[in-house]
């Protein structure tokens, strides 16, 4: 990946794309939103290219105002996910992660409950 | 079961099932109107909303279970078809079209449909984890 300003022509390799996809999947998984994300992404997958272009036009120019790093990351994110095959990779990765989560032994869940550990998005809501 | 999608019959069955719930609730409201009139109207309205949500959710869940992908699209198709059918029911039963009911059906059936699709997808992921 070329380290440059956000408006410079970034050359993304396969590994860079894989890294972005994996990181996105991990963030979604950390918040316990696998199923919701699969549901949404499966539905809007045909609009990936249009969404990417709209994001570049409407969001991308404003991100460097927050921080230059965010501008670059946003640009990379939009470039990666405007390709439908990358969206499909993300979907399959999320499905794998969700299946792994379901396969977790019951004892782990019981231990979590005993220690009053909240998992996923429930951590954000105090009364749950 | 690898790449299955519901067919027209499934969608129609889902729409009719959702309207079955609505029709039975309307029938109950009509048959027991004297005892039910003692209850607060707000309570009856809330129960109606829950029943419409349930109708949308159950029908969308059952149809989405037959899909191997695109659960949200499938459940929204079922909800939309249920809504169209519910408009037909309203037009055939009421003397004049009730805009409030039509909007309520639209919102509740679609919200229930999204929930139904979500639960169908969760079930599919769980089953695939159990039987890889």
């Amino acid at each position: 990946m070329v380290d440059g300003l956000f408006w410079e022509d970034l050359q993304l390799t396969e590994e860079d794309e894989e890294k972005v996809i994996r990181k996105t999947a991990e963030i979604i998984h950390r918040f316990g939103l696998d199923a919701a994300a699969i549901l949404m992404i499966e539905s809007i997958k045909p609009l990936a290219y249009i969404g990417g272009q709209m994001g570049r036009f409407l969001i991308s120019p404003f991100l460097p105002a927050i921080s230059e790093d965010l501008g670059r990351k946003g640009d990379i994110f939009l470039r990666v996910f405007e390709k439908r095959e990358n969206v499909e990779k993300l979907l399959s990765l999320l499905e794998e992660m969700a299946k792994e989560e379901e396969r977790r032994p019951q004892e782990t869940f019981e231990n979590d409950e005993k220690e009053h550990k909240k998992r996923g998005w429930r951590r954000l809501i105090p009364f749950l | 079961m690898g790449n299955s999608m519901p067919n027209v019959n499934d969608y129609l069955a889902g729409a009719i099932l959702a309207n079955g719930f609505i029709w039975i609730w309307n029938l109950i409201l009509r048959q027991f109107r004297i005892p039910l009139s003692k209850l607060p109207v707000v309570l009856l309205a809330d129960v109606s909303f829950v029943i419409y949500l349930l109708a949308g959710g159950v029908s969308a869940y059952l149809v989405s279970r037959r899909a191997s992908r695109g659960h949200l699209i499938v459940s929204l198709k079922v909800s939309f078809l249920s809504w169209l059918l519910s408009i037909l029911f309203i037009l055939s039963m009421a003397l004049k079209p009730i805009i409030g009911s039509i909007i309520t059906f639209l919102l509740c059936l679609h919200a229930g449909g999204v929930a139904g699709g979500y639960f169908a997808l969760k079930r599919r992921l769980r089953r695939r984890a159990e039987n890889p």
Side-chain angles (χ1 to χ4, degrees):
Chain A
M1 194 191 315
V2 175
D3 267 344
L5 294 171
F6 74 97
W7 57 81
E8 285 176 4
D9 193 24
L10 291 168
Q11 299 293 322
L12 289 172
T13 58
E14 285 273 321
E15 290 83 49
D16 295 330
E17 288 185 352
E18 285 289 332
K19 223 182 279 177
V20 173
I21 293 166
R22 181 156 286 282
K23 198 176 176 191
T24 310
E26 275 165 8
I27 291 170
I28 292 169
H29 182 68
R30 200 191 312 148
F31 285 94
L33 293 169
D34 310 303
I38 293 169
L39 199 71
M40 283 302 297
I41 295 168
E42 259 185 354
S43 315
I44 59 169
K45 191 171 59 181
L47 297 172
Y49 182 72
I50 297 170
Q53 292 296 311
M54 279 180 72
R56 275 196 202 195
F57 183 72
L58 297 170
I59 302 170
S60 220
F62 302 105
L63 289 178
I66 302 167
S67 83
E68 197 179 304
D69 186 45
L70 189 67
R72 191 182 295 120
K73 278 181 183 169
D75 197 32
I76 292 168
F77 183 85
L78 290 171
R79 269 165 204 251
V80 169
F81 288 109
E82 74 183 8
K83 291 181 191 165
R84 199 179 291 183
E85 61 267 19
N86 287 341
V87 178
E88 268 161 20
K89 275 182 202 167
L90 175 68
L91 271 175
S92 54
L93 202 59
L94 280 173
E95 278 197 24
E96 276 305 312
M97 284 178 166
K99 273 191 272 179
E100 284 298 318
E101 187 73 21
E102 293 290 347
R103 275 191 212 123
R104 270 178 73 193
Q106 194 62 32
E107 299 90 59
T108 322
F109 286 103
E110 282 166 8
N111 287 343
D112 282 0
E113 274 178 21
K114 271 180 199 164
E115 292 167 18
H116 299 290
K117 268 188 194 167
K118 289 182 191 173
R119 299 172 60 251
W121 54 270
R122 290 165 192 84
R123 286 179 296 132
L124 303 174
I125 303 174
F127 51 83
L128 268 181
Chain B
M1 193 65 193
N3 210 6
S4 64
M5 285 299 271
N7 56 24
V8 181
N9 288 344
D10 297 325
Y11 286 119
L12 269 176
I16 290 169
L17 177 69
N19 278 281
F21 277 88
I22 295 168
W23 186 72
I24 288 170
W25 175 241
N26 282 345
L27 214 65
I28 289 169
L29 285 178
R30 202 176 300 164
Q31 288 295 317
F32 300 102
R33 62 182 173 277
I34 297 167
L36 287 175
S37 63
K38 289 168 191 161
L39 294 172
V41 181
V42 179
L43 179 72
L44 287 176
D46 288 347
V47 174
S48 300
F49 290 149
V50 172
I51 286 168
Y52 301 153
L53 277 171
L54 197 72
V58 168
S59 60
Y61 172 73
L62 290 173
V63 179
S64 300
R65 268 180 60 174
R66 299 181 76 87
S68 58
R69 63 193 150 80
H71 290 75
L72 187 63
I73 299 286
V74 169
S75 55
L76 286 178
K77 277 182 192 169
V78 178
S79 306
F80 186 70
L81 209 59
S82 311
W83 179 61
L84 288 183
L85 210 62
S86 72
I87 292 174
L88 276 180
F89 271 120
I90 291 171
L91 288 175
S92 64
M93 285 193 296
L95 293 174
K96 55 180 180 180
I98 306 156
I99 301 298
S101 298
I102 291 172
I103 294 168
T104 308
F105 287 147
L106 174 74
L107 295 177
C108 290
L109 289 174
H110 282 79
V114 172
Y118 176 77
F119 287 119
L121 178 67
K122 286 281 276 186
R123 181 182 180 275
R124 180 175 149 260
L125 289 173
R126 196 165 51 242
R127 282 179 74 92
R128 281 181 67 180
E130 283 165 5
N131 312 307

